[in-house]
Amino acid sequence: AFEFVKDRMLRIVNTNFGSGRLVLIGGIQINLPYPEFVDHFLPLMFEVRQEGQAPVDLMARFTNLSIQQDLKRTPWAAAGSQREVFAWLTWSPPATSPVYQTLHKYFPGALPGQAVQGRVARILTGYGFDDTTLLGTSFCPDEINNESDSLSVLMQNFWGEVFPMGGISGTPFSGKTGFAAFSSHVANEGNILVAFGPHVGISASGEVGKCLREGQAKESTACGAVVGAYNACLCGTPSTDSTDSYDMQMDFCKRQIAPHAEAISKTENPLASLAHQSYQMVEETMFAVVNNDFGSGYLCLLGGIQINMPNPMEDHFYPCTFELRKA
């Protein structure tokens, strides 16, 4: 059937329309059982044509030789095959880049944001999460966490309106009162999904804790608040418990990081260690804030570290917690 369709298509098309290119992608559409699976496509032709030029065959671009290895000879390839697929899809950095090496050394198991969102959605729909699901997020309000490839944005695009719970560092400073207000909005017998965590940047050179922001010539820290709190602790700058403080969120971060600052400074990569310690801070606070008093539905908690990648790479997420709770 494909050969028949291809023959008719090639008789119809031409490049007489101008100097532009004609791209032909042909194959067999494979309809899989819904909603368990998404449809697949078997590519059989991928060709670029241009008037006066020889056709360019791009079929080889659909093949990723790095994952087609005999694991008896190269058993280590199994660990990296998923990463290679994401890199081939251009969702993740290529294996030869410094970003790749840093990402998978200090955040093993990190995934592209769209892979996390897709997997979470597929799993939760099996538990009755639908368009009535109430979404809450607790990520640092830094603008780099609100770009189109950030997990929070991807989740909002899928699940709908969001209740932001987080302040600097991603800690849910809206507190128990904020969660009570948020959870009171849930539909009858509805479910709640809360995603949370700190963030950390990785520069193009593979440096943890750095990112190049749009319009700037020099890299800056990410998360700036967490790094600032950590540096203050190393310098002995105390936090304040004063009710007159106009920097209460930063004071909280300093108090939480201070007991660990010296140990963090002695690790192989202090800013990577700081990101993992920051996650513990955010998780402990989140667990103290949430409850299942809102009704009979599920509370899903998705926690991890948001990883801001250098442009044009997509942001990643290092998952640490994924659990369902029910009253």
Side-chain angles (χ1 to χ4, degrees):
F2 171 74
E3 293 300 329
F4 171 78
V5 175
K6 175 183 175 182
D7 177 71
R8 294 301 184 270
M9 178 60 71
L10 294 182
R11 295 187 185 196
I12 291 171
V13 301
N14 60 66
T15 53
N16 299 333
F17 54 83
S19 59
R21 294 178 175 86
L22 170 66
V23 178
L24 296 172
I25 302 178
I28 300 173
Q29 178 78 9
I30 304 171
N31 309 117
L32 296 178
Y34 180 84
E36 291 84 4
F37 307 102
V38 296
D39 284 356
H40 280 50
F41 186 78
L42 174 64
L44 298 172
M45 179 181 184
F46 186 17
E47 187 174 289
V48 178
R49 298 185 175 190
Q50 191 172 22
E51 187 68 18
Q53 302 294 325
V56 179
D57 187 352
L58 297 177
M59 270 299 294
R61 301 297 181 91
F62 283 123
T63 303
N64 186 355
L65 296 177
S66 62
I67 63 171
Q68 299 179 8
Q69 301 182 40
D70 185 344
L71 297 183
K72 292 181 180 179
R73 289 195 299 268
T74 58
W76 59 85
S81 59
Q82 177 176 266
R83 306 172 189 172
E84 292 287 351
V85 169
F86 290 140
W88 179 70
L89 291 169
T90 70
W91 295 1
S92 289
T96 55
S97 68
V99 182
Y100 177 99
Q101 301 300 325
T102 296
L103 176 68
H104 295 296
K105 179 176 182 178
Y106 298 111
F107 305 96
L111 299 166
Q114 60 176 313
V116 175
Q117 159 54 27
R119 187 61 178 156
V120 167
R122 181 55 60 89
I123 292 171
L124 293 185
T125 52
Y127 287 90
F129 284 67
D130 54 23
D131 56 4
T132 66
T133 297
L134 201 58
L135 173 65
T137 60
S138 189
F139 295 109
C140 180
D142 192 320
E143 69 277 1
I144 60 175
N145 293 326
N146 292 282
E147 297 180 352
S148 60
D149 59 354
S150 299
L151 181 61
S152 60
V153 175
L154 295 170
M155 296 186 76
Q156 185 176 355
N157 290 341
F158 183 87
W159 297 102
E161 295 179 352
V162 63
F163 188 101
M165 303 169 62
I168 59 174
S169 77
T171 302
F173 287 113
S174 59
K176 293 183 177 181
T177 301
F179 183 78
F182 161 56
S183 59
S184 70
H185 305 160
V186 72
N188 293 335
E189 301 180 358
N191 303 306
I192 293 177
L193 168 59
V194 176
F196 63 92
H199 73 112
V200 65
I202 298 180
S203 71
S205 63
E207 184 177 0
V208 178
K210 294 287 189 177
C211 72
L212 182 62
R213 299 171 189 272
E214 187 175 356
Q216 294 191 341
K218 294 183 179 180
E219 295 171 349
S220 57
T221 55
C223 169
V226 169
V227 173
Y230 166 69
N231 288 333
C233 293
L234 291 179
C235 294
T237 305
S239 61
T240 176
D241 294 318
S242 172
T243 56
D244 296 330
S245 172
Y246 287 94
D247 211 2
M248 291 182 287
Q249 294 187 13
M250 188 61 158
D251 288 337
F252 175 88
C253 293
K254 290 178 183 178
R255 289 195 298 272
Q256 297 299 310
I257 293 172
H260 311 286
E262 184 178 356
I264 290 172
S265 70
K266 296 177 181 178
T267 62
E268 176 187 351
N269 191 314
L271 292 190
S273 299
L274 178 63
H276 289 280
Q277 184 63 50
S278 299
Y279 173 76
Q280 297 300 320
M281 172 182 70
V282 177
E283 182 192 75
E284 289 172 8
T285 308
M286 179 60 73
F287 284 5
V289 164
V290 301
N291 59 64
N292 285 88
D293 299 340
F294 55 87
S296 60
Y298 285 107
L299 168 65
C300 177
L301 297 173
L302 173 65
I305 301 172
Q306 173 81 6
I307 304 172
N308 310 118
M309 306 284 280
N311 285 327
M313 300 176 190
E314 296 189 19
D315 281 358
H316 280 50
F317 187 76
Y318 175 71
C320 301
T321 299
F322 185 33
E323 65 181 44
L324 288 173
R325 299 183 178 186
K326 203 168 187 180

